[in-house]
């Protein structure tokens, strides 16, 4: 594939923005819900938070997080969420929208015509097609037999994109290099490795599952051994690459994300065939990790899909084999339980069958019953601990209590901890809650004295399962001063609906505003031509303000002008859309009334300092000014109330 140097044409960039609705693009990564006023809201993908502060305004094409101050348009979002350059983000969106980009000569494009990520994505897409086609070849018979024995038909394999890697050294490498991909790209993407005479295929003679990211792009593969002559591990996965990071990848998330959001449920299984079995059995919320244990980055992905917050409504269900290894995996999951706000459960089949084997032996209904029979993760962790001891002896029960006490003590919600103390006493058969409570409290005391940071903040009812926000996140507090809130409303209207304010806003003057950020935003608006030039507002007006922000200065205040403009373009106006026109007039009148009120206070203060006899002329002038200001304030007050 020959490369061309040049910059993407401005017309194509504008077309990419137009055909990439921000709500759709953002919605591929996080769950968005209606926040009123034409806004959507979700959990921020750029910092950990317990309640949603990430806002999207589809009408203007911008997003802004009021927790960490990240904001921008759809290209900015893709750049940040996928760690791309501007050119790569535009190319990524163009590919998504089916737009053929044109490159102007003479510009600078980092690397080659297409960014590295896009090239690797295309290589993986071509590889997935290659593997899928080979599943019907004669040498793929062991792979087809493997699928059939596990209850999967040809249509199931096609749905999940399952394929077969030929038992040849260079079959895929030759195919991709003939398509224009370089050996360096194949090696960097993990599709091949360096051989003596060039790249050799990483996967050979194996059944292949394409691993997709949340948007549906193939970013890696999982490969299952089929041949006895293969001396490699049973499962082999793509290595870390610029597009594949196993700590945050969940197999099946592209197929499950909408059902996860819809049902507020995520089911964590252990393997690719388990995901397939669950989806086919009527559990379409199943996902699996890829060659690594379930960890914090996986949690972040699921929290954003679940809109995991303090309402405590959703479910995360872990399924594990019933053997000791499965129990250890469940106990590891228990350590991560505190990072969720939603409820966590464990579903373990007593006979040790995983979802795939369970479906083969007992049918689809058995898989659904397995998930429906889930057990709270706390209860499972405690009972798993007790199962290691002989509870028929006093010595065994006391040892089991001491072993389970740290598990109970780690429950930070006092009410929930007390409930499990009661359960623990019942399971052990002491019939002495006071004794069990004392034992658990001793463990809690030792933990606190040891200075160990608790796994979660105090109290589920405060939504404290979520990870603490990043320290650097500038949490924006709602201003308490009514006058400051009024300023903010006027500025929001000026950015979002300038026609409602018109020249009267432009004539206010920067001195009308008190907060430094309000002053500089007003100056940006005026410098862009004022609200009189903003027309009905929308995307073009916000873009114009952003251009002015880029050209302007924050006056040494350290204020990020672009972030400021984006924030006011996204933050919801307090009025209902049906009364916005009257609301705009009222806001203008009120903000002028406040400004006049400040002038009245100043004149009164000066009058207090004058001697009406010795400084009669100045006194009379100021008194006349005061009368005029009071009259003006009265008129403005009437306009504000009548608007």
């Amino acid at each position: 594939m020959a490369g061309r140097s040049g910059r993407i044409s401005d017309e194509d960039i504008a077309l990419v923005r137009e055909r990439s609705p921000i709500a759709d693009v953002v919605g591929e990564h996080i769950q968005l819900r209606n926040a009123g006023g034409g806004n959507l809201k979700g959990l921020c993908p750029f910092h950990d938070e317990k309640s949603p502060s990430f806002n999207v305004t589809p009408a203007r094409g911008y997003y802004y997080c009021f927790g960490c101050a990240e904001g921008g348009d759809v290209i900015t979002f893709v750049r940040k969420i996928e760690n791309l350059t501007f050119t790569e983000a535009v190319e990524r969106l163009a590919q998504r929208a089916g737009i053929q980009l044109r490159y102007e000569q003479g510009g600078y494009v980092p690397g080659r015509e297409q960014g590295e990520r896009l090239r690797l994505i295309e290589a993986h897409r071509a590889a997935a097609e290659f593997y899928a086609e080979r599943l019907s070849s004669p040498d793929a018979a062991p792979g087809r037999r493997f699928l059939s024995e596990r209850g999967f038909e040809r249509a199931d394999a096609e749905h999940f994109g399952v394929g077969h890697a030929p038992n040849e050294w260079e079959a895929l490498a030759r195919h991709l290099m003939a398509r224009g991909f370089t050996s360096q790209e194949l090696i960097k993407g993990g599709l091949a490795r360096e051989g003596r005479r060039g790249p050799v295929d990483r996967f050979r003679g194996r059944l292949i599952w394409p691993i997709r990211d949340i948007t549906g792009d193939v970013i890696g593969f999982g490969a299952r051994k089929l041949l006895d002559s293969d001396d490699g591990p049973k499962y082999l996965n793509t290595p870390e690459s610029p597009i594949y990071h196993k700590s945050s990848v969940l197999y099946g998330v592209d197929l499950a994300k909408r059902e996860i959001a819809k049902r507020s449920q995520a089911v964590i299984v252990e393997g690719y065939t388990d995901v397939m079995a669950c989806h086919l059995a009527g559990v379409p919320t199943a996902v699996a990790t890829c060659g690594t244990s379930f960890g914090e980055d996986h949690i972040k992905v699921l929290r954003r899909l679940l809109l995991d917050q303090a309402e405590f409504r959703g479910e995360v269900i872990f399924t594990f084999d019933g053997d000791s290894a499965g129990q250890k995996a469940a106990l590891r999951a228990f350590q991560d339980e505190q990072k969720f706000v939603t409820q966590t459960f464990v579903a373990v089949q007593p006979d040790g069958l995983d979802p795939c084997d369970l479906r083969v032996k007992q049918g689809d209904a058995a898989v659904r019953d397995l998930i429906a029979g889930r057990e709270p993760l706390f209860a499972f962790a405690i009972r798993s601990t007790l199962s290691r001891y002989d509870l028929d002896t006093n010595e065994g029960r006391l040892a089991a209590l001491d072993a389970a006490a740290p598990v109970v003590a780690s429950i930070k919600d006092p009410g929930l901890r007390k409930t499990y103390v009661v359960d623990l006493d019942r399971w052990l058969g002491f019939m002495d809650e006071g004794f069990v409570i004392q034992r658990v409290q001793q463990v809690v005391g030792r933990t606190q004295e040891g200075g160990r940071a608790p796994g979660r903040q105090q109290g589920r009812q405060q939504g404290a399962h979520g990870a603490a926000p990043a320290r650097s996140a500038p949490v924006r507090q709602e201003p308490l001063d009514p006058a400051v809130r009024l300023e903010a409303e006027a500025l929001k209207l000026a950015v979002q609906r300038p026609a409602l304010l018109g020249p009267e806003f432009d004539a206010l003057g920067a001195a009308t505003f008190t907060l430094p950020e309000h002053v500089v935003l007003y100056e940006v608006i005026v410098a862009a031509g004022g609200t009189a030039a903003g027309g009905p507002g929308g995307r073009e007006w916000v873009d114009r303000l952003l251009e002015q922000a880029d050209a302007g200065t924050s006056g040494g205040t350290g204020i990020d002008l672009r972030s400021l403009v984006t924030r006011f373009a996204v933050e919801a106006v307090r009025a209902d859309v049906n009364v916005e026109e009257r609301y705009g007039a009222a806001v203008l009148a009120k903000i002028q009334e406040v400004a006049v009120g400040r002038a009245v206070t100043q004149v009164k203060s000066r009058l207090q300092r004058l001697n009406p006899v010795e400084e009669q002329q100045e006194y009379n002038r100021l008194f006349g000014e005061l009368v005029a200001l009071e009259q003006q304030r009265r008129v403005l007050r009437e306009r504000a109330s009548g608007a």
Side-chain angles (χ1 to χ4, degrees):
M1 190 175 292
R4 296 184 300 246
S5 63
R7 64 185 290 274
I8 303 171
S9 70
D10 292 340
E11 292 82 0
D12 282 357
I13 293 174
L15 184 62
V16 165
R17 284 196 179 101
E18 179 185 334
R19 295 190 183 175
S20 303
I22 192 166
D24 293 347
V25 174
V26 173
E28 292 177 350
H29 296 269
I30 66 175
Q31 184 189 166
L32 294 171
R33 290 181 179 168
N34 190 353
N39 275 20
L40 302 171
K41 183 177 284 190
L43 287 176
C44 180
F46 303 119
H47 82 287
D48 291 334
E49 59 178 2
K50 294 186 286 289
S51 57
S53 58
F54 185 88
N55 285 253
V56 176
T57 305
R60 285 176 288 281
Y62 284 91
Y63 71 90
Y64 188 83
C65 176
F66 293 97
C68 69
E70 285 283 358
D73 64 4
V74 67
I75 296 175
T76 309
F77 179 82
V78 172
R79 286 185 66 183
K80 291 182 181 296
I81 197 74
E82 299 190 18
N83 194 27
L84 306 177
T85 66
F86 179 85
T87 298
E88 289 172 334
V90 173
E91 290 170 340
R92 173 81 172 79
L93 289 168
Q95 180 189 38
R96 179 185 180 277
I99 298 171
Q100 184 67 45
L101 295 174
R102 295 165 294 173
Y103 293 81
E104 298 174 351
Q105 297 300 319
Y108 171 72
V109 176
R112 55 183 71 89
E113 172 194 346
Q114 295 172 309
E116 177 184 82
R117 177 182 171 84
L118 186 57
R119 290 283 295 174
L120 295 182
I121 290 291
E122 289 181 348
H124 278 74
R125 181 186 298 110
E129 293 171 356
F130 173 85
Y131 289 139
E133 290 173 359
R134 296 306 185 278
L135 186 61
S136 58
S137 64
D139 68 336
R144 294 193 298 272
R145 186 165 55 252
F146 175 92
L147 293 171
S148 177
E149 289 172 351
R150 283 155 182 79
F152 302 122
E153 300 176 356
R154 182 61 185 267
D156 302 330
E158 291 177 354
H159 178 67
F160 289 92
V162 183
H164 180 263
N167 191 26
E168 302 174 29
W169 285 100
E170 303 163 353
L172 177 66
R174 285 196 307 269
H175 175 78
L176 294 181
M177 291 176 73
R179 298 275 297 269
F181 296 99
T182 67
S183 60
Q184 291 83 2
E185 287 173 331
L186 303 188
I187 292 169
K188 195 163 192 175
L191 295 168
R193 53 187 177 82
E194 193 70 67
R196 293 181 180 178
R197 303 177 189 174
V200 296
D201 294 354
R202 180 170 294 276
F203 307 118
R204 300 187 303 277
R206 287 175 174 255
L207 199 60
I208 300 290
W209 282 267
I211 300 170
R212 297 182 173 88
D213 66 12
I214 199 168
T215 68
D217 282 333
V218 179
I219 56 174
F221 296 95
R224 209 274 187 191
K225 180 167 67 173
L226 296 171
L227 306 174
D228 293 337
S229 58
D230 188 340
D231 58 359
K234 179 187 285 189
Y235 281 95
L236 185 63
N237 294 308
T238 293
E240 291 286 308
S241 78
I243 63 172
Y244 181 82
H245 307 288
K246 64 182 180 181
S247 64
S248 59
V249 172
L250 288 168
Y251 175 72
V253 71
D254 58 309
L255 299 174
K257 63 181 180 181
R258 303 213 180 277
E259 287 297 325
I260 288 174
K262 179 181 175 182
R263 303 186 184 201
S264 292
Q265 179 199 75
V267 176
I268 316 300
V269 298
E270 291 199 313
Y272 307 125
T273 56
D274 292 330
V275 171
M276 294 174 68
C278 283
H279 281 244
L280 295 172
V283 185
T285 57
V287 294
T289 59
C290 301
T292 185
S293 58
F294 188 81
E296 190 166 343
D297 289 338
H298 299 120
I299 291 172
K300 291 177 181 177
V301 173
L302 289 181
R303 288 196 68 234
R304 294 195 293 267
L305 291 177
L306 289 163
L307 194 55
D308 187 32
Q309 52 180 311
E311 282 85 347
F312 206 41
R313 295 176 302 202
E315 296 181 345
V316 175
I317 304 170
F318 295 91
T319 66
F320 299 102
D321 293 343
D323 57 16
S324 59
Q327 290 194 3
K328 288 180 180 178
L331 292 175
R332 282 198 305 271
F334 171 79
Q335 302 303 317
D336 286 324
E337 195 275 344
Q338 49 252 2
K339 297 186 176 73
F340 285 105
V341 176
T342 195
Q343 301 171 88
T344 47
F345 298 86
V346 172
V348 176
Q349 184 69 10
D351 53 14
L353 296 177
D354 59 31
C356 181
D357 291 336
L358 182 62
R359 178 172 178 262
V360 171
K361 295 187 176 182
Q362 300 182 32
D364 291 348
V367 177
R368 295 193 296 270
D369 290 344
L370 168 66
I371 304 305
R374 67 217 182 281
E375 180 180 14
L377 187 52
F378 282 129
F380 180 82
I382 296 169
R383 291 167 73 97
S384 295
T385 301
L386 300 183
S387 67
R388 303 199 302 265
Y389 297 89
D390 180 3
L391 303 185
D392 292 330
T393 66
N394 290 331
E395 292 80 2
R397 284 187 293 161
L398 190 59
L401 172 57
D402 287 345
V407 179
V408 179
S410 67
I411 303 174
K412 300 306 174 184
D413 181 342
L416 192 63
R417 185 169 66 234
K418 184 174 181 179
T419 300
Y420 276 106
V421 165
V422 174
D423 286 339
L424 179 57
D425 177 50
R426 178 166 52 85
W427 292 332
L428 289 171
F430 281 118
M431 306 306 290
D432 188 347
E433 291 178 17
F435 172 67
V436 175
I437 290 173
Q438 182 183 26
R439 208 77 170 189
V440 171
Q441 286 177 338
Q442 288 174 353
V443 174
V444 174
R446 287 198 298 270
T447 301
Q448 292 174 344
E449 289 171 9
R452 278 180 269 170
R456 77 183 82 179
Q457 302 296 323
Q458 286 288 339
R460 278 180 186 254
Q461 54 270 62
Q462 297 164 5
H465 285 271
R471 292 181 182 178
S472 60
V475 179
R476 178 177 170 271
Q477 299 295 334
E478 183 71 17
L480 299 177
D481 186 344
V484 174
R485 289 206 301 267
L486 192 61
E487 293 175 18
E489 286 299 293
L491 289 166
K492 278 188 283 185
L493 288 172
V495 173
Q496 299 177 24
R497 301 292 302 279
L500 295 180
L501 302 180
E504 195 172 352
F505 174 88
D506 302 334
L508 289 175
T512 304
F513 300 89
T514 55
L515 285 189
E517 61 186 79
H518 291 174
V519 173
V520 295
L521 180 56
Y522 176 82
E523 291 172 343
V524 166
I525 293 168
V526 171
T531 51
R539 179 59 185 261
E540 291 183 3
W541 173 236
V542 175
D543 287 346
R544 187 169 175 177
L545 293 177
L546 288 169
E547 289 176 8
Q548 185 59 46
D550 288 337
T553 173
S554 61
T557 61
I559 295 171
D560 183 342
L561 296 183
R562 283 190 66 87
S563 178
L564 191 64
V565 170
T566 306
R567 190 187 99 198
F568 278 86
V570 170
E571 187 171 356
V573 174
R574 292 177 179 272
D576 184 88
V577 67
N578 297 320
V579 297
E580 275 189 357
E581 188 170 344
R582 287 187 288 117
Y583 183 68
V587 166
L588 269 179
K590 287 177 182 177
I591 199 168
Q592 289 174 294
E593 179 193 344
V594 171
V596 170
R598 287 198 293 265
V600 166
T601 301
Q602 292 174 357
V603 171
K604 285 182 176 180
S605 176
R606 289 165 63 190
L607 281 172
Q608 289 289 335
R609 298 194 298 270
L610 290 177
N611 186 317
V613 176
E614 297 177 358
E615 301 171 283
Q616 184 177 8
Q617 186 175 359
E618 178 65 10
Y619 185 89
N620 289 341
R621 187 188 69 79
L622 285 175
F623 187 78
E625 185 178 333
L626 177 62
V627 171
L629 287 170
E630 290 286 13
Q631 174 64 23
Q632 185 183 0
R633 184 161 65 169
R634 189 160 48 250
V635 171
L636 289 169
R637 189 176 293 133
E638 290 172 358
R639 279 177 53 193
S641 61

